[in-house]
Amino acid sequence: MSQQHSILIVEDEEPIRVGLEDVLVFHGFAVESAADGRTGLHKALTGGFDLILLDLMLPGIDGYAVCERVRAQDPEQPIIMLTARGTDEDIVRGLRLGADDYVAKPFSVVQLMLRVQAVLRRTRPLAALPVRFTLADGTEVDAANLSAHRDGVAIAELTRREMETLQYLAAHAERPVAAEELLHRVWGYPKQASPETRTVAIHIAKLRRKLESDRAEPRLLLTVRGAGYRLRLTP
Ligand code: CA
């Protein structure tokens, strides 16, 4: 699971947005950007980014609202606010809504990169994936042995990729995970690659065949329409 860190830039001022893209690509990040709040929010909710650089004053939905909605879905999503005014009030409000840090515009590249690297260091420290976990129907999954047991009886053997997919979903069981995020995080595809979400769909189908008692009506590995897949663990 090694890949470049990915960053989403949500910024409506073109010179700043393009400047940020150039700097971040130069520093080895995979970069995507959005020029308004609505597009930014959609990308943020479906993209599985390591970090979001979020301008506050945006057309459509403002940065505060984007921050709040993203946080509601993924409490651990690292966010750095870009604030034009840099007034205490903006900063306090943004931090209260869950941003990790802020950078006041205009900023220097050095200043920005220090903040970016600091946030990435402390927020996603190679999140350890769970090795043993129990699904909602009592099936016990053992990643070390690539196996699943129910009532002490082995019911399935999983491939490594199937298991990594399951582990990633288990680590984020509180929310649906988009196919694009799985491709990026589990398969290690760069963010810009054309999403081959069919690959993910095929793996999900295989997992259902192995784990669900009725795969026409999944009760463990759910499809959340328009959002992705969600794994149900034991409460
Ligand atoms: Ca703006």
Side-chain angles (χ1 to χ4, degrees), residues 11-13 55-59 84 105:
E11 166 65 77
D12 59 317
E13 285 165 79
D55 183 30
L56 292 180
M57 295 301 123
L58 291 165
K105 292 188 273 188

Side-chain angles (χ1 to χ4, degrees), residues 5 50-51 78 113-126:
H5 283 295
D50 294 301
L51 172 64
M113 291 312 300
L114 285 175
R115 298 287 176 96
V116 165
Q117 278 150 2
V119 167
L120 287 175
R121 250 198 318 276
R122 73 171 177 260
T123 48
R124 295 247 158 118
L126 301 174

Side-chain angles (χ1 to χ4, degrees), residues 54-56 81-87 90-91 102-106:
L54 179 62
D55 183 30
L56 292 180
M81 297 181 295
L82 305 174
T83 152
R85 289 169 292 176
T87 65
D90 287 343
I91 294 164
Y102 71 94
V103 182
K105 292 188 273 188

Side-chain angles (χ1 to χ4, degrees), residues 172-195:
H172 301 90
E174 75 289 350
R175 63 175 173 93
V177 176
E180 289 84 355
E181 179 175 346
L182 286 168
L183 273 179
H184 177 51
R185 294 288 188 167
V186 177
W187 272 258
Y189 281 38
K191 301 279 307 177
Q192 286 102 335
S194 63

